[in-house]
Amino acid sequence: MNSSEESAVSAMSAGRSAMRMGPAELVQAAAMARRFYLEGKSKIQIAEEFGVSRFKVARVLETALERDLVRIEIRVPAELDAERSDALRARYGLRHAVVVESPTPTDEIEDSPDPENLGEVAADLLGELVTEGDVLGLAWGRSTIHMAAALDQLPPCTVVQLTGVYDAGTAERGSVEAVRRAAQVSGGEAHPIYAPMLLPDPATAAALRNQTGIARAFEYFDKVTVAAVSIGSWEPGISTVHDMLSDEERAHYASLGVAAEMSAHLFDAEGRRVGRDLGERCITVEADRLRRIPEVVAIAGGQRKAAAIDAVLRSGLVTSLVTDTAAADQLLVAGAPPRPALDRADPDGS
C-alpha cells in the first residue's frame, strides 16, 4: 500500500471514528480517561501502558470529552462565586479575590455594614495563607472582628494589633479581643494595643506610642507577614474614623476628596492618600509599613462600599480581597482598569 492509499485509509478510518465509536474504542477511551482524570497518570504513562503514542492518548481523551464519556464539572460551595472572583482578581492584579453571595437584599441589609459571612470566608482564607512562624496583623474593623470570631484553626503564629480601638472602653468586644482570639486559636503570642485609634492631637498620640506595651506592639509591625484590614466609605456608620471626628473635621477631609478610609489612612478615588495629618493623631500602622507586608487581605462588601474598595485597591496597599457579589458587580463595571495591586506601587509616586 503506497502513501496515498495509506492516507485514504486513514481518512476513511477518521470518518468512521467521527461517526461513531465501536465498543473496543469506547472501552479503551473510558480506561484512558479513568487513568488520566481519576488516577492522575500522565499521557506518557498511559501511552506506555496501552502501547500507543502519547499523541494517540491525547486524541482519545479529546474524543472522550466530545462524546460526553467524560464530564468535567467545576464545583465550589454555593456561597462562593468563582466566576466573579476570578474576574475581580484579574482586573485588579490581586493575589487572591474571593467573592461570596450577598444576602437577600432588603432595605435593612443594604444600609448595614459588611455582611457577616465575609468574616467567615476570610477566616477560612487566613487558614490557607498563614503558615507556622508567621506574624499575623489585625487592624480595627467590624469585618476583622467577625473574622476573628469565626476562626477555628490557624498554624502557630504571633498575632499583633495594627491599630488602636474605636473606643478604649469597648476593647473587650473589639480589636483587643480579636487579637486574643486569633492567638488562642493559633497557640501563639498576642500583642494587643490598649489605646484608642484617634487621639486629640499629635503630641498625645506620640506619647502613647512610646508607652512600653504599645511600643512593643509597634516593634512587630515590620515583622508582619499577613495582615487583615477593613475598608470604610467616608460616610456615617460605614467608617469608624469618620464617626469619631467632629463635623468641622469631616467637612475638611471631604473637601480634600476623601473617598475611602482604611486603618485611619484616607484615600481619594484614584487611591492617592489625602489628609495625611490625620495619621499623626492616630495609633495605627503606617502606610509604608503596610506596603511592605507580603500579604494584606482586605475584607469589605456591599454596594455602599464599592467605590471605597476600588479606591483602596488602587492604592497598592492591598494584595487580596474578600467581598460580596453586590460590591463585585460594581467593581467590575468601574472605570479604566487600575494599576495592578501586586505592583504595590504608590499612586503618589512616593
Side-chain angles (χ1 to χ4, degrees), residues 5-85:
E5 291 174 329
E6 289 177 352
S7 298
V9 171
S10 176
M12 290 173 61
S13 175
R16 286 194 300 271
S17 177
M19 290 185 288
R20 65 184 182 84
M21 294 178 70
E25 292 174 308
L26 286 168
V27 170
Q28 184 184 68
M32 288 184 176
R34 177 175 294 279
R35 304 291 194 280
F36 186 73
Y37 291 109
L38 300 183
E39 299 176 11
K41 291 188 176 181
S42 69
K43 293 175 184 176
I44 293 176
Q45 290 174 315
I46 298 170
E48 291 175 351
E49 178 182 348
F50 287 87
V52 297
S53 70
R54 60 187 177 89
F55 302 105
K56 171 67 180 296
V57 173
R59 287 197 300 272
V60 170
L61 292 174
E62 183 178 350
T63 301
L65 284 171
E66 292 173 351
R67 298 301 180 85
D68 217 19
L69 291 177
V70 175
R71 296 183 182 181
I72 297 177
E73 187 176 10
I74 300 172
R75 303 178 66 182
V76 296
E79 70 271 15
L80 299 183
D81 191 306
E83 185 175 350
R84 285 184 176 93
S85 298

Side-chain angles (χ1 to χ4, degrees), residues 149-161:
L151 285 170
D152 58 12
Q153 61 177 0
L154 271 180
C157 65
T158 299
V159 186
V160 61
Q161 193 169 323

